[in-house]
Amino acid sequence: MTALENDPQQLDTVLFDVDAQVATITLNRPERLNCFNRRMTEEIAALWARVRDDDDIHVAVLRAAGDRAFCTGLDMADGPWWSDQNIWNQQDPGAQLGPKQHRVWKPVIAAVQGMVAGGGMYFLNEADIIICSEEATFFDPHANGGMVSALEPIGMLRRGLPLGDVMRWALVGNEERITAATALRLGLVSEVVPRERLWAGARALAEEIAARRPEAIQGTVRAIWESLDQPPSLAQRHGLSFAQLGNRGREKGLAGGERRETRFR
């Protein structure tokens, strides 16, 4: 375990807390619209490793401080810190920011408010569940800066967003923004809530999932994500092996946990 993973007090750009088997990661650069720099990238990578390896953590909630933005991508004031490296050794920051790149098979719930611009999608493209507030907007500034937009829209396509809408998002630039209502229609988010209910709603959902048998939940998450890279026939066989492995050792008579009141959405 690295020093950053072991001591949250050393964190400068994010906040980290674990309570009742739920880890909460808060992007904490509101004065910079929560854009990421090298320090934040390193801290996020260390925290994903902590979430992955700590068996007392069952679910993670990812959120951001402030009201204006969830994340506006790379901090352009600092610029790309990897450009002085050998071209064959360079790695896109998305490889450090996304939980699945770190083999985090515990559910990650993203609670989004304000703006999500460009590289902010690195966080969302690998989240399992995304909820947003009513004023949230999503856009890509790459085109305005004359830059190629590639990995972020590729990740959106992998999530199942329609090709035409992803193309429009990547090519139009700052002048057009996806609203919360459109994000819900496209399947980018699964729920839209008032801003004052955003964090509480994400927390309640996380606690509900965290109460389930963790081996079953993590096996479900891994089976679904790994199926995205496989042809259907292989995904079916692979999924069966996960069920056979993950359901072994289940206590006899286990009814699936506490029954809760049924809700509809």
Side-chain angles (χ1 to χ4, degrees):
M1 183 176 290
T2 68
L4 285 176
E5 295 170 54
N6 191 49
D7 185 9
Q9 297 300 320
Q10 295 191 35
L11 300 172
D12 293 329
T13 66
V14 296
L15 304 175
F16 182 73
D17 176 70
V18 179
D19 179 56
Q21 299 175 317
V22 175
T24 301
I25 300 173
T26 307
L27 308 182
N28 193 35
R29 302 185 75 211
E31 75 286 352
R32 297 291 299 161
L33 300 179
N34 294 312
C35 58
F36 59 83
N37 56 10
R38 183 172 190 168
R39 179 66 179 181
M40 179 184 279
T41 301
E42 292 172 348
E43 291 182 354
I44 287 291
L47 290 178
W48 287 138
R50 165 75 182 276
V51 170
R52 179 193 64 217
D53 296 336
D54 188 343
D55 287 339
D56 288 333
I57 296 174
H58 292 182
V59 180
V61 172
L62 178 64
R63 64 189 195 182
D67 292 320
R68 294 184 60 196
F70 174 81
C71 177
T72 53
L74 175 69
D75 189 338
M76 298 305 294
D78 292 350
W81 59 87
W82 58 89
S83 57
D84 60 341
Q85 300 175 12
N86 182 298
I87 187 64
W88 302 112
N89 296 334
Q90 292 183 20
Q91 185 179 48
D92 189 88
Q96 298 298 313
L97 296 173
K100 301 305 178 288
Q101 296 283 346
H102 296 276
R103 299 179 64 80
V104 176
W105 305 121
K106 299 170 183 180
V108 175
I109 300 171
V112 176
Q113 87 287 349
M115 296 181 287
V116 180
M121 291 304 301
Y122 286 132
F123 293 107
L124 302 189
N125 281 338
E126 293 193 4
D128 298 288
I129 299 171
I130 306 170
I131 65 175
C132 75
S133 58
E134 295 168 328
E135 86 291 348
T137 58
F138 306 80
F139 62 98
D140 187 4
H142 283 84
N144 293 81
M147 296 181 290
V148 172
S149 180
L151 298 181
E152 299 94 329
I154 289 171
M156 294 167 73
L157 288 173
R158 190 167 185 253
R159 289 191 71 88
L161 272 69
L163 174 61
D165 290 287
V166 173
M167 282 291 193
R168 184 165 174 163
W169 176 86
L171 298 178
V172 173
N174 288 336
E175 283 70 37
E176 183 173 277
R177 306 189 178 195
I178 293 176
T179 64
T182 300
L184 182 63
R185 175 176 60 82
L186 297 179
L188 175 57
V189 305
S190 63
E191 186 179 8
V192 178
V193 299
R195 176 66 179 90
E196 63 272 16
R197 288 174 43 199
L198 180 63
W199 284 9
R203 174 72 193 194
L205 186 58
E207 289 181 350
E208 183 173 333
I209 297 172
R212 313 299 184 187
R213 179 172 173 262
E215 294 85 357
I217 295 297
Q218 292 170 38
T220 299
V221 171
R222 182 171 178 177
I224 291 172
W225 276 94
E226 291 191 353
S227 75
L228 298 178
D229 297 323
Q230 299 167 343
S233 59
L234 180 58
Q236 290 285 342
R237 293 196 297 272
H238 200 187
L240 176 60
S241 69
F242 274 104
Q244 292 170 332
L245 178 65
N247 293 341
R248 291 176 182 172
R250 187 168 70 94
E251 296 178 15
K252 293 183 179 180
L254 185 65
E258 177 187 354
R259 293 280 297 180
R260 298 171 182 258
E261 182 179 351
T262 301
R263 63 179 180 275
F264 301 88
R265 67 173 182 90

